[in-house]
Every structure is written in C-alpha cells, then in structure tokens.
Amino acid sequence: MRQVAVTGLRKAFGAHPVLTGVDLEVPAGSLTAILGPSGSGKTTLLRLLAGFERADAGTIAIGDATVDGPGGYVAPERRRIGYVPQEGSLFPHLTVAANVGFGLPARKHWARKHWARQRRGGQGGRVEAMLETVGLGGLGRRYPHQLSGGQQQRVALARALAIEPAVVLLDEPFASLDAHLRASVRADVQEIFRRAGTTAVLVTHDQDEALSTADRVAALRDGTIAQCATPEDLYRRPADPGLARFVGDANLLDGVLDGGVVKTLLGSLPLDPAVTSPGPAGQVTVLIRPEQIDIGPNEAGIPARVMSCRYHGHDAVLDVQPASDAAAPPLVVRVPGGPRRPVGSAVTLAARGPVFAWPVD
C-alpha cells in the first residue's frame, strides 16, 4: 500500500478551469472520499490520479514516485492503479473469471516477481482468490448478465484488486444501485479494504456515502479542496457556513459570542471545545444541526409551530417556525422515530450544545 500526495494540481479544458490548485494527502491504507457536487471536478481529479489525463501544473506522487509533474509523467499501466468506474464496465462476452483476470497478463513486463508468483500459483488461483475475497466464490463461470447489480460491482472491485494495486480509485461505484443494495455493498467494500489494507480514493456527490464510508473526506469546491478532515470533524466543524450547508442539513443562526458561550435564539449554548481560540466577543454565525434541537409540546424552550413534516420511519424531519421571529427561515429539526407531527401544531424548541461558530466579517 502507498500514500498519495497531490500538490498544486491544476487542470483546464480550453478556457474552462476545472481544478485550480488541489492539495491533498491520502494516507497509506486509508479510504479517502472526494466529495463535491456534479461538475465540481471530482472525476477529473480521479482521471489525473489514474493517468488518463495529464495535469497542466502541480504534482502527483504515489509512494515515493512522482507520476505526474515537472519531473515527468508515468503512463497509467505503470502506476499500479486499480480503477472501478461507475457502471463497473464489465465485458459482457467474458465470464466473471475472465473479467477479473483481464488485467493480469499486462503486468508481466514491469512486475516480473509478481508474475512469477502468479504462474507458480496459477492465474486461475489468483482469480478465484479474488472472487472469494469479494464474496463471489464459485461464480467464475457465470457471465455479467447473470449477476445482480451488486454482484457486478463486486466483480469490478475484484478485477481492480487482482493486480495488487498500490491504490484503488472508485468513481461513484454505487450510484447505479438501489438504496438497500448500495448500503450493503458499501459496507462490504469497507471491510474488504480494511482487511487488505488498501489505499483507496472514492469519488462521490452523496454526503451520507462519504461520511459513512471514508476515513477522511475531502470537500472539493471551486476547483480546490475546501476542507479535508475526518467525517466527524467535517460534519461538526466545517470550515465555513457554505460547507456546513453542503454537508448535511444545517441551521445557521445569528449569535453573540461571550467567552465560551454563544447566545442564540434558542438560548445560551456552550461553544465547541475544539475552538481553542474563539476570538473576541461579538457577532458570530452559529451552526446547529437538526438533531441538536429537542422538540415537544411542554418542554421548556421557545414556542414554535410546525410548518412541514417529512416522515422517514426511523426519523422525521420537520420545518419549524419560531414564534419570536416569523420573518426568519424555519428551523430544520430531526426527530428520531415516533409519530408524525401535524402541520400547524404548536411545539417548543430547545437546543443542545456544544455548537460551532464562525466570526461575522
């Protein structure tokens, strides 16, 4: 396994800049998600890592070797990259086993010691071992059309892992799966990578997918990495209000900072202890996530009214209008379980800290 280091990476297509100075480190053995909206340059970044595109400026290093930069360029087939595209891209006329083993002969010219090991154990043995790894043992004689969507994605993953890659790149590999299958395949991929100690980069526009799957999440915005952090830090302590809105639902309230306490519409709340230098007292923008707000008909708190309710079974998401500020946007409140809240019903709101805040410029 190898670490990946990207420094000052730039790429434009004609007069349209896509990446404008990306800096990113992917630790060896970790799974890092590149999170961004459609058109943000996620796939372009992945193609640059794979070598399918050349950077206009900056460097890409895999382990100790620079594979793109002023010092030269390494072709895709020599980077030891496993690539899993969005649709899997299996060859329909080849069996599952043939699909998995497709890339193995191409390694002979640059990895003789690995090839020798393949020959001693048999290429078929390597393929079957990969199928066992992804939970498809015994299905090597089938064809892609005889598999479910989730099984096809596992075949694509086995093909990527078969070459013993330094890094695996995944381009929104779960996007075409239904919600239940997507969750189970993601969990399987996490476990496979964890056991193998694989260094991986996952591209996605799905915040839930990034937060639940990756060790680190890099938010790509305006051609640069706006923040790269653990999922918890990115969600609880985003770099700015715009990023807070992008990573999950966010209530952004006006507040007044006074020491380690922030005074808000929902009362005085403790500041996140991670903010070691809160700055001078004054106006701040406060982040309160929907699950930090308690709702009830009789609880101590501010009076409010339910404007809408979206019931999901395991929880419900409500838009609630505080009575004290009818002109302000409704607050988003997440309520675990329980019955629907009727639209128009009177409730009270109380928030739980700690909360994160940014100074108002």
Side-chain angles (χ1 to χ4, degrees), residues 331-353:
L331 299 176
V332 181
V333 181
R334 190 180 305 279
V335 182
R340 292 175 179 268
R341 298 273 181 170
V343 173
S345 58
V347 296
T348 57
L349 303 176
R352 288 174 281 108

Side-chain angles (χ1 to χ4, degrees), residues 99-139:
N99 268 281
V100 174
F102 184 80
L104 292 177
R107 305 178 65 223
K108 184 176 180 181
H109 69 285
W110 61 269
R112 292 181 180 176
K113 66 176 183 179
H114 293 286
W115 178 248
R117 188 167 68 235
Q118 297 287 349
R119 293 182 64 184
R120 288 195 299 271
Q123 183 172 313
R126 174 67 178 169
V127 168
E128 184 56 36
M130 285 297 97
L131 289 174
E132 291 285 351
T133 296
V134 299
L136 296 178
L139 300 185

Side-chain angles (χ1 to χ4, degrees), residues 4-96:
V4 177
V6 175
T7 306
L9 200 64
R10 293 179 177 272
K11 181 65 179 179
F13 295 100
H16 177 60
V18 178
L19 302 177
T20 57
V22 170
D23 296 314
L24 177 67
E25 289 191 7
V26 179
S30 72
L31 171 57
T32 295
I34 309 297
L35 175 65
S38 297
S40 62
K42 304 184 303 296
T43 296
T44 297
L45 176 55
L46 211 66
R47 290 178 62 82
L48 288 167
L49 293 175
F52 302 153
E53 303 278 355
R54 293 199 62 173
D56 296 333
T59 61
I60 301 172
I62 299 176
D64 296 329
T66 297
V67 296
D68 196 353
Y73 167 78
V74 177
E77 65 272 15
R78 298 188 62 241
R79 294 190 184 191
R80 288 187 59 201
I81 294 288
Y83 191 83
V84 182
Q86 185 172 130
E87 301 295 336
S89 297
L90 301 180
F91 299 107
H93 63 292
L94 297 181
T95 65
V96 165

Side-chain angles (χ1 to χ4, degrees), residues 34-293:
I34 309 297
L35 175 65
S38 297
S40 62
K42 304 184 303 296
T43 296
T44 297
L45 176 55
L46 211 66
R47 290 178 62 82
L48 288 167
L49 293 175
F52 302 153
E53 303 278 355
R54 293 199 62 173
D56 296 333
T59 61
I60 301 172
I62 299 176
D64 296 329
T66 297
V67 296
D68 196 353
Y73 167 78
V74 177
E77 65 272 15
R78 298 188 62 241
R79 294 190 184 191
R80 288 187 59 201
I81 294 288
Y83 191 83
V84 182
Q86 185 172 130
E87 301 295 336
S89 297
L90 301 180
F91 299 107
H93 63 292
L94 297 181
T95 65
V96 165
N99 268 281
V100 174
F102 184 80
L104 292 177
R107 305 178 65 223
K108 184 176 180 181
H109 69 285
W110 61 269
R112 292 181 180 176
K113 66 176 183 179
H114 293 286
W115 178 248
R117 188 167 68 235
Q118 297 287 349
R119 293 182 64 184
R120 288 195 299 271
Q123 183 172 313
R126 174 67 178 169
V127 168
E128 184 56 36
M130 285 297 97
L131 289 174
E132 291 285 351
T133 296
V134 299
L136 296 178
L139 300 185
R141 293 180 180 272
R142 294 193 185 182
Y143 286 85
H145 72 272
Q146 296 173 313
L147 304 179
S148 69
Q151 288 174 322
Q152 290 181 26
Q153 283 302 90
R154 293 178 196 222
V155 173
L157 179 60
R159 181 174 62 188
L161 292 173
I163 63 169
E164 298 180 350
V167 180
V168 173
L169 307 178
L170 304 103
D171 189 1
E172 306 216 34
F174 315 118
S176 61
L177 305 179
D178 62 61
H180 174 71
L181 193 57
R182 193 158 58 237
S184 64
V185 174
R186 279 200 313 247
D188 291 341
V189 168
Q190 276 183 295
E191 178 61 18
I192 290 166
F193 284 170
R194 186 191 65 78
R195 291 200 311 265
T198 304
T199 304
V201 178
L202 164 70
V203 155
T204 182
H205 66 274
D206 186 323
Q207 295 95 332
D208 289 340
E209 183 170 284
L211 295 175
S212 65
T213 306
D215 301 306
R216 287 157 46 94
V217 180
L220 185 62
R221 183 181 63 188
D222 299 329
T224 63
I225 301 296
Q227 185 176 358
C228 184
T230 65
E232 181 182 11
D233 274 349
L234 185 65
Y235 183 76
R236 293 181 58 187
R237 306 173 187 99
D240 54 56
L243 203 54
R245 290 191 185 96
F246 178 66
V247 185
D249 293 321
N251 296 298
L252 300 176
L253 306 182
D254 293 333
V256 177
L257 176 65
D258 185 7
V261 175
V262 182
K263 298 177 182 178
T264 74
L265 173 70
L266 297 175
S268 295
L269 300 167
L271 190 65
D272 190 314
V275 185
T276 55
S277 300
Q283 295 292 321
V284 291
T285 299
V286 185
L287 168 63
I288 301 179
R289 293 294 186 184
E291 60 274 13
Q292 290 181 269
I293 301 177

